[in-house]
Amino acid sequence: MERFKNKVIAITGGAKGIGRKIAERFRNEGGNVEIIDKSEGDWFVGDIGEKEVLEKFASFIIEKYGKVNILINNALPLMKGIEQCSWEEFLYAQKVGVAAPFYLSKLFKDYFTEGSSIINISSSRDRMSQPQTESYTAAKGGISALTHALAVSLAPRIRVNSISPGWIDTVSYKASTEDKLQQPVGRIGTPDDIASMVLFLCSDEAGFITGENIVIDGGMTHQMIYHGDNGWSYRISK
């Protein structure tokens, strides 16, 4: 298939994990993919927490192609909790997780073609938490809300949606039976699970979908867990 032939796709945090798989899938369908990532490699290297880096990345794409069709805001914000996270670290997480997606959308706004898409990668942590995750969780909650705001502001030319992944294995983790049973579907997710939804939302088949947040977590956020029920046991470590 070449659904994205000659389309220009910009992806933040595309060097590994979910972002890398998204880039691979778009390239396999004919897309011209440009990645920005902090790690060194054959892509645009830079920290999206810096305003000037975002401007340089946007200029690079506009000068090279003269247009943008798809923007994937995927880069991971810092995860630290209230005990260790400093003021500066918390603000940096919001820069990467919320301000950068907003600013790239703004920089590309006049260069998006008719029928373009923005996909924001949020997290199921936008609605549930573990202890000591405040910087990351706040950023993911912010990008979920930013999604529907942008969808209204940029309509009808640009559709904006977000995806909230649950437990996605990006490191070839050997999942235990217990790990798998936490997901009603009986397995941990893969980067392909997320990439498949990204490509669908950016395709013409999803032309009537905008402003949505789609949870892809194997049903984990819908499974109620009580101590002593259905084999679940809560243990308090000392």
Side-chain angles (χ1 to χ4, degrees), residues 18-19 21-22 25-26 70-77 97 101 117-127 136 139-148 159-168 189-203 206 209-218 221:
I18 292 172
K21 178 57 67 173
I22 292 170
R25 292 281 298 273
F26 272 121
I70 295 166
L71 169 62
I72 311 295
N73 291 305
N74 168 76
L76 284 172
S117 283
I118 298 171
I119 304 295
N120 296 322
I121 303 299
S122 182
S123 169
S124 58
R125 292 173 188 267
D126 64 1
R127 67 205 64 205
Y136 184 90
K140 291 305 185 181
I143 201 171
S144 292
L146 178 66
T147 295
H148 57 75
R159 294 184 299 106
V160 187
N161 292 289
S162 63
I163 295 172
S164 288
W167 187 348
I168 305 298
T190 70
D192 256 321
D193 291 319
I194 307 306
S196 293
M197 180 57 72
V198 169
L199 267 68
F200 168 71
L201 288 173
C202 293
S203 71
I209 302 174
T210 195
E212 286 300 314
N213 177 278
I214 298 174
V215 181
I216 303 178
D217 70 344
T221 54

Side-chain angles (χ1 to χ4, degrees), residues 175-233:
S176 68
T177 299
E178 290 78 10
D179 291 333
K180 295 174 184 177
L181 289 176
Q182 290 182 72
Q183 339 288 319
V185 298
R187 67 174 177 87
I188 290 172
T190 70
D192 256 321
D193 291 319
I194 307 306
S196 293
M197 180 57 72
V198 169
L199 267 68
F200 168 71
L201 288 173
C202 293
S203 71
D204 293 338
E205 288 91 337
F208 200 55
I209 302 174
T210 195
E212 286 300 314
N213 177 278
I214 298 174
V215 181
I216 303 178
D217 70 344
M220 189 174 182
T221 54
H222 291 298
Q223 180 164 253
M224 296 184 71
I225 297 175
Y226 291 94
H227 171 67
D229 190 22
N230 294 316
W232 293 103
S233 178

Side-chain angles (χ1 to χ4, degrees), residues 8 12 28 31 38 85 89 110 116 126 146 151 154 161 169 172 178 206:
V8 178
T12 69
N28 288 344
K38 284 200 303 184
C85 190
E89 288 171 327
D110 295 333
S116 290
D126 64 1
L146 178 66
L154 300 178
N161 292 289
D169 178 16
S172 299
E178 290 78 10

Side-chain angles (χ1 to χ4, degrees), residues 53-128:
V53 171
L54 295 171
E55 291 169 346
K56 289 177 181 177
F57 179 58
S59 294
F60 164 73
I61 290 178
I62 292 164
E63 289 172 10
K64 185 173 181 179
Y65 300 101
K67 67 172 185 176
V68 182
N69 301 102
I70 295 166
L71 169 62
I72 311 295
N73 291 305
N74 168 76
L76 284 172
L78 178 74
M79 183 187 286
K80 278 196 172 184
I82 195 166
E83 296 296 337
Q84 288 83 32
C85 190
S86 68
W87 168 264
E88 291 78 14
E89 288 171 327
F90 189 85
L91 289 182
Y92 178 71
Q94 309 320 304
K95 284 182 180 181
V96 171
V98 185
F102 166 78
Y103 197 46
L104 279 178
S105 300
K106 182 179 179 69
L107 291 170
F108 286 138
K109 180 175 67 68
D110 295 333
Y111 298 91
F112 280 115
T113 60
E114 189 74 27
S116 290
S117 283
I118 298 171
I119 304 295
N120 296 322
I121 303 299
S122 182
S123 169
S124 58
R125 292 173 188 267
D126 64 1
R127 67 205 64 205
M128 59 190 296

